[in-house]
Amino acid sequence: MRGQFKRSGWRKILAAIAAFNFIGLQVLTPAFGVNITSVSVQYANTTPVLVGFALSTGTASVPLGSIAPTVTAPTSASTGIITYSSSVPGVATIDPITRIIRLVAAGTTVLTATQAKIGNYTSATSTVSLTVTAATATVTTQFGLSSASVVFGATAPTIVAPVTSSAGAITYTSATPSTATITTGGVISLVAVGTTVLTATQAANGNYAAGIYTTTLTVTTPFGLSSASVAFGATAPTITAPVTSSAGAITYTSATPGVASITSAGVISVVGVGTTVLTATQAANGNYAAGIYTTTLTVTATTVSTSAISGVTVPVAEAIPATAISGVGYTGTISWSNNPTSFAYSTVYTATVTLTPTAGYTMTGVTANFFNVSGATATNPVNSGVITAVFPSTAALPDGQIQTATATGGTIGTATGWTLSGGGKLTWSRINSTANWTTASSQCTALGAGWRMPTQEELSGLFNTASAIAAATTAGWTLGSTWSSALYSAGYRYVVNLNGGYGYVSNDTFYDFVSCVR
């Protein structure tokens, strides 16, 4: 570009080209202007930003032998071609165009996406890291034993070594060396009865991770039982006698005879609940040392299984209540509502029966309302021997009879002052006739078992208890001078007047009213 400008024009030209890079500028400065011989101008380059370059597995490691992750291609404002590369192709390769990854070995590599320069955009890169972990070896033969269970004293089983796709060295260990040991080379030795877990550990090798494989070995006793657990009361188990290479005599003992005893010949008897260790001792013989073999027997409690509770009879008026019972697997106590010494008439009674298991028995397992009591509505909670039995009402008093408490207080020789405040019950027959004392006594005896003439105190108590006199009147009694059993002297008895409440002496041949009690 050539030309001459005024000074103001020169300034405008310089401002216009300020935004450009220029290669060269030749300036002549004549007196009246600027002479520009040449100007070379180029635009500035831009670096694109690559975004979105990622693996389908994210930052997680990828096991060797698994499906390789896929690549999400990055994007930018540039249209330059993107190619891909791996920093460690020995770990993983990536196709530069298709971006397909191939896993090669364990390790870490950096994958790089490079976008070529184009137009005003420079070249740019973006990276992701890929970690490849060692592969899990494929097992073609599982770790095992020639026998998973062996009797103590017998030949130890041999191992079946694991076979895998790895060439890593294999060593062996036992979780419970007190039961069985195993050498690093896999040779087993039996130590005692029990169970142990044997472990085969394969070392990491090449592209394969370490591997751990296990199997279980059980060492049993040659001495056993037909059943290791038995319920109390059931048939005792029989022994399985130890069989050994020795001909030594074998005898048997029980560590806890209170649970189960065993004869020297091996016959078991169940005695109580619990656990005992039975021991078979084989005597030394020839070249064989003495041997001791043990087994464990557990005796469990038996749930009381008899539902019908006997001995709790239906209350009958004037009968004596039962207070204790027993049955198969239990003893029991009975408490009655109102604590009667004898059952009253026209009364509903509830019996609370408390069963206590005898040795070897339990109430655990008893279902709700399992027990029944004849003649009653019975209930019991689950796992309980406490029974509530509600009986129907006892019979009503026979026509004309009344019941009172026993008499207390007063002085012998006079009827005055006695009241019915004792703890017992008296049943009175109705007074409906008079008789001499001998006939009156015979009439009471004729009423049946327990009937007798009342004492002077009982007659006095009857008079001094208003409710009793009211009951007697309602029952149709004729109240008057009434014989007692109290002897004054030969041929004479005390009599109590139930109208006035006073007592006096009457000749046995006189006729007075008769009432009997029991």
Side-chain angles (χ1 to χ4, degrees):
M1 184 187 299
R2 292 179 181 272
Q4 291 183 346
F5 303 90
K6 295 181 180 181
R7 289 180 179 177
S8 59
W10 177 71
R11 292 190 188 97
K12 293 179 181 179
I13 292 298
L14 292 178
I17 65 174
F20 299 95
N21 294 326
F22 54 86
I23 297 173
L25 176 64
Q26 182 180 0
V27 181
L28 299 176
T29 54
F32 300 102
V34 177
N35 182 23
I36 301 174
T37 60
S38 65
V39 176
S40 177
V41 179
Q42 66 180 18
Y43 292 99
N45 290 325
T46 301
T47 300
V49 178
L50 295 174
V51 296
F53 185 30
L55 300 176
S56 58
T57 52
T59 59
S61 59
V62 181
L64 185 65
S66 63
I67 298 174
T70 58
V71 173
T72 300
T75 60
S76 76
S78 173
T79 58
I81 295 174
I82 300 175
T83 57
Y84 302 88
S85 62
S86 170
S87 65
V88 187
V91 171
T93 63
I94 184 169
D95 188 281
I97 302 302
T98 63
R99 62 180 183 276
I100 294 174
I101 296 172
R102 183 173 67 88
L103 305 180
V104 178
T108 299
T109 184
V110 175
L111 303 179
T112 301
T114 302
Q115 188 168 38
K117 175 181 178 181
I118 189 172
N120 293 326
Y121 291 97
T122 64
S123 175
T125 62
S126 180
T127 62
V128 293
S129 181
L130 171 62
T131 298
V132 181
T133 58
T136 300
T138 301
V139 179
T140 55
T141 300
Q142 296 292 336
F143 178 36
L145 300 169
S146 58
S147 175
S149 179
V150 62
V151 173
F152 182 73
T155 302
T158 55
I159 66 167
V160 177
V163 178
T164 75
S165 54
S166 172
I170 299 176
T171 56
Y172 300 90
T173 56
S174 171
T176 312
S178 59
T179 295
T181 61
I182 186 170
T183 66
T184 57
V187 178
I188 298 171
S189 297
L190 304 181
V191 179
V193 173
T195 298
T196 186
V197 175
L198 303 178
T199 301
T201 302
Q202 187 168 38
N205 179 266
N207 290 322
Y208 291 103
I212 296 177
Y213 313 99
T214 61
T215 190
T216 300
L217 171 61
T218 300
V219 182
T220 62
T221 175
F223 175 34
L225 300 170
S226 58
S227 175
S229 179
V230 63
F232 182 83
T235 302
T238 55
I239 66 168
T240 301
V243 178
T244 73
S245 54
S246 172
I250 300 175
T251 56
Y252 301 89
T253 56
S254 171
T256 313
V259 172
S261 62
I262 185 170
T263 67
S264 59
V267 179
I268 298 172
S269 297
V270 173
V271 180
V273 173
T275 297
T276 186
V277 175
L278 304 178
T279 300
T281 302
Q282 186 169 37
N285 179 267
N287 293 324
Y288 294 99
I292 296 177
Y293 313 99
T294 61
T295 190
T296 300
L297 172 62
T298 299
V299 181
T300 59
T302 297
T303 300
V304 171
S305 58
T306 303
S307 60
I309 302 301
S310 59
V312 187
T313 55
V314 176
V316 175
E318 301 185 18
I320 305 300
T323 57
I325 58 171
S326 63
V328 177
Y330 65 85
T331 59
T333 59
I334 311 169
S335 61
W336 296 90
S337 55
N338 302 323
N339 300 314
T341 55
S342 63
F343 293 120
Y345 288 94
S346 302
T347 304
V348 173
Y349 286 99
T350 296
T352 300
V353 183
T354 302
L355 304 183
T356 300
T358 54
Y361 289 86
T362 180
M363 291 298 169
T364 301
V366 169
T367 57
N369 305 326
F370 170 73
F371 297 108
N372 60 78
V373 177
S374 178
T377 300
T379 58
N380 67 272
V382 66
N383 298 326
S384 173
V386 179
I387 307 164
T388 302
V390 181
F391 290 90
S393 176
T394 54
L397 277 168
D399 183 40
Q401 293 185 3
I402 65 170
Q403 278 194 317
T404 67
T406 53
T408 59
T411 302
I412 297 295
T414 175
T416 305
W418 286 81
T419 58
L420 298 175
S421 59
K425 283 285 186 181
L426 292 175
T427 301
W428 298 77
S429 66
R430 178 168 54 190
I431 298 176
N432 54 14
S433 63
T434 61
N436 61 40
W437 189 91
T438 301
T439 300
S441 179
S442 297
Q443 288 176 349
C444 288
T445 302
L447 288 177
W451 286 98
R452 58 178 173 79
M453 298 281 285
T455 65
Q456 178 189 11
E457 292 80 19
E458 288 168 344
L459 286 169
S460 177
L462 179 63
F463 173 80
N464 286 319
T465 304
S467 60
I469 292 299
T473 302
T474 301
W477 288 25
T478 300
L479 302 179
S481 297
T482 305
W483 285 113
S484 80
S485 61
L487 177 67
Y488 173 72
S489 62
Y492 291 90
R493 310 282 171 167
Y494 283 106
V495 173
V496 175
N497 188 293
L498 296 180
N499 268 323
Y502 54 87
Y504 61 91
V505 176
S506 178
N507 188 288
D508 289 352
T509 61
F510 291 172
Y511 278 66
D512 289 305
F513 287 104
V514 183
S515 180
C516 308
V517 296
R518 67 172 178 182

